[in-house]
Amino acid sequence: MKFGEYFKKYFDPAGSYPISVVNRSVDGSVITAGCDTHWPALIADGVKPDAVLLCYGMNDFFTASFNAGQTVTYFKWKMKQLIQKIQD
């Protein structure tokens, strides 16, 4: 959430715009949850952002995830799905 504070200070130092930052991944969710659960929940809540920052990292590559078929190829496929949902 620190990024959100910096973002607001940099892009809107006067506080003139309705910028809000929501972290829907505090549980360390993987790309599958972002694509299949978190994004649809935001839309269902009526959220219509002008910008979306996606930050996924090494938690998508735990051994259990890899053994469940969530490889780099899977990650890229799910990220493309999520980006398409956001664009839609």
Side-chain angles (χ1 to χ4, degrees):
M1 293 307 287
K2 203 65 160 163
F3 174 81
E5 294 173 29
Y6 293 133
F7 184 90
K8 287 179 188 182
K9 286 180 185 176
Y10 184 82
F11 288 102
D12 186 26
S16 304
Y17 300 102
I19 296 174
S20 63
V21 178
V22 178
N23 184 354
R24 290 289 179 131
S25 189
V26 284
D27 61 351
S29 67
V30 295
I31 188 70
T32 301
C35 186
D36 300 340
T37 305
H38 295 295
W39 184 255
L42 279 171
I43 297 305
D45 288 345
V47 175
K48 296 181 181 180
D50 293 318
V52 176
L53 175 66
L54 302 173
C55 299
Y56 288 96
M58 292 309 294
N59 62 328
D60 282 295
F61 300 103
F62 284 138
T63 302
S65 296
F66 181 82
N67 291 337
Q70 295 184 30
T71 59
V72 173
T73 303
Y74 175 85
F75 175 84
K76 288 170 57 177
W77 174 68
K78 289 304 278 188
M79 181 61 84
K80 287 179 182 179
Q81 278 189 339
L82 178 54
I83 291 168
Q84 186 61 54
K85 286 181 180 186
I86 291 167
Q87 289 174 334
D88 291 344

